[in-house]
Amino acid sequence: METIIQVKDVGKTFIGKDNRVEALKGINLEIHKGEIYGIIGMSGAGKSTLVRCLNFLEKPTTGTVMIEGKDLAVLPERELRQTRTQIAMIFQHFNLLMQRTVLDNVCFPLEITGQKKKEARGRAKELLEIVGLSEKAKAYPAQLSGGQKQRVAIARALANNPKILLCDEATSALDPTTTKSILALLKDINKKYGITIVIITHEMAVVQEICTHVAIIDGGTLAETGTVEEVFTRPQTPAAKALVFQNGGNHQQMKGKRCIRIVFKDHSSFEPVIANMVLECKAPANILLADTKDIGGVAHGQMILQLPEDEIIAGKMIHYLKERKLEVEELSNYVG
């Protein structure tokens, strides 16, 4: 696949009067054309700094950012501005111009690039139709819901036919139902127009809903990368595990010696495998966590079980589950 964004050894240091903060340290990423790529991390992990480095709103202290093979750091100012028009961005709080109508908000980036008013308005009307807001062309942002404001922001971002769309916590201010509709719109835009989308978020559910690949940022470093399915099924690092388990609810520290995580997918989600295991092994297991995710349209479930302290019975249970082709991961110190 063709690489559209390449990040090589990128670091970003902010220096104040009394302190020095390394927001990013040695980040390496490769994003391919047409992907929906997730960058996820907890608050303060450095993910928003990273996305601002992708379009040089923040210039990296070290390393290289390449867009379609061009090193942004060495481009002449005029060429850098031109390249930036191909990298659109939408934000958590929409950033609409409150004194302008919806139509005029969408026209704004076209005005900046010198497009004639009639052509700009025609293009803006097309974009409002794409995002399902044709009837709101004459409304003002204050008259819109949060989801409608984000749709206007998406239409505005698409005005100059960008190749890349950066979404910085674009659904964080929205309720779950509206979030789903915005993610569905982004997915549709990606499919129809082939725009590469980079989603910055702290919510694993957003990544699982829309992304094909994911990078996990932790403390300014790259903790883990892979397909969304790989990371959900077999998280390798503490940062990845914290994000995969983040909606597990509150459980007390387990007291059993053995705790396992099982991942269900495809047909295994519909089998009463835990009930059958308990009957087969003639011993109970304590369910600490259970949930289901939709990843790429396929249901994936996970369950964390506390096994009996008897090592022979616990081993028998693990063997039973593995025989049924389930992903089984032994956890040494799970706390929900």
Side-chain angles (χ1 to χ4, degrees):
M1 294 177 70
E2 184 183 343
T3 299
I4 191 167
I5 301 172
Q6 192 166 20
V7 177
K8 297 180 180 178
D9 297 320
V10 161
K12 178 65 181 179
T13 302
F14 294 99
I15 300 173
K17 286 184 178 179
D18 303 315
N19 64 343
R20 173 189 174 95
V21 177
E22 275 192 282
L24 298 173
K25 293 168 269 190
I27 301 291
N28 289 279
L29 285 179
E30 197 168 286
I31 298 173
H32 298 119
K33 192 172 183 180
E35 280 184 341
I36 304 180
Y37 199 102
I39 297 175
I40 185 170
M42 299 298 191
S43 295
K47 57 191 185 297
S48 289
T49 301
L50 176 58
V51 77
R52 290 169 67 84
C53 286
L54 297 184
N55 58 6
F56 259 43
L57 286 177
E58 292 284 358
K59 292 188 178 181
T61 308
T62 58
T64 306
V65 176
M66 302 185 78
I67 304 294
E68 292 191 304
K70 296 177 184 176
D71 182 351
L72 297 188
V74 300
L75 291 181
E77 190 62 35
R78 185 176 177 180
E79 195 175 345
L80 177 60
R81 284 199 302 270
Q82 188 176 7
T83 301
R84 274 189 181 141
T85 65
Q86 298 301 300
I87 310 170
M89 196 165 183
I90 58 174
F91 305 88
Q92 179 178 355
H93 296 298
F94 324 123
N95 290 9
L96 300 180
L97 300 168
M98 302 305 286
Q99 286 74 37
R100 283 181 167 236
T101 65
V102 164
L103 186 69
D104 288 338
N105 264 279
V106 180
C107 285
F108 185 61
L110 296 167
E111 292 171 12
I112 291 172
T113 56
Q115 200 159 132
K116 292 180 181 177
K117 187 173 181 180
K118 185 178 179 181
E119 292 172 358
R121 290 177 76 83
R123 171 69 175 152
K125 286 176 182 177
E126 288 174 15
L127 291 164
L128 287 176
E129 190 172 342
I130 288 169
V131 301
L133 282 183
S134 293
E135 75 286 358
K136 297 290 184 181
K138 295 181 180 179
Y140 286 87
Q143 298 170 303
L144 305 180
S145 68
Q148 289 170 334
K149 288 176 185 175
Q150 197 57 284
R151 286 173 181 268
V152 176
I154 291 169
R156 182 181 61 184
L158 298 177
N160 284 311
N161 294 306
K163 295 178 181 178
I164 299 165
L165 179 60
L166 306 178
C167 306
D168 190 5
E169 296 282 10
T171 59
S172 293
L174 306 175
D175 63 76
T177 301
T178 307
T179 292
K180 276 189 172 290
S181 72
I182 293 297
L183 294 178
L185 174 61
L186 291 173
K187 205 169 187 177
D188 190 51
I189 287 168
N190 167 263
K191 186 176 179 181
K192 283 183 179 176
Y193 305 105
I195 296 172
T196 304
I197 298 178
V198 180
I199 304 274
I200 307 299
T201 183
H202 64 276
E203 299 174 280
M204 195 67 178
V206 169
V207 169
Q208 290 163 341
E209 181 80 21
I210 190 174
C211 300
T212 52
H213 292 74
V214 63
I216 295 171
I217 305 296
D218 181 44
T221 63
L222 185 62
E224 195 164 333
T225 62
T227 67
V228 173
E229 184 175 359
E230 285 168 351
V231 172
F232 173 79
T233 305
R234 292 178 292 277
Q236 301 297 309
T237 61
K241 290 175 182 179
L243 288 163
V244 169
F245 300 154
Q246 68 183 350
N247 295 320
N250 296 314
H251 303 280
Q252 292 185 351
Q253 175 97 27
M254 64 179 188
K255 295 178 182 176
K257 291 183 180 178
R258 300 290 284 277
C259 192
I260 59 171
R261 174 175 178 260
I262 311 162
V263 177
F264 301 85
K265 57 184 177 180
D266 305 328
H267 65 281
S268 66
S269 299
F270 304 101
E271 296 176 7
V273 67
I274 303 303
N276 290 342
M277 177 196 75
V278 168
L279 291 171
E280 174 74 19
C281 300
K282 297 179 175 62
N286 185 22
I287 298 174
L288 299 181
L289 177 150
D291 69 355
T292 304
K293 312 284 186 187
D294 185 311
I295 302 176
V298 177
H300 287 65
Q302 68 169 334
M303 190 174 283
I304 293 179
L305 299 179
Q306 180 183 345
L307 302 184
E309 292 190 15
D310 186 304
E311 290 293 325
I312 294 174
I313 295 174
K316 188 177 178 182
M317 286 180 164
I318 292 170
H319 178 71
Y320 179 90
L321 295 168
K322 286 182 175 178
E323 271 196 332
R324 276 136 194 88
K325 311 298 182 189
L326 295 178
E327 293 276 348
V328 180
E329 176 190 4
E330 294 203 48
L331 305 176
S332 58
N333 57 352
Y334 173 75
V335 182

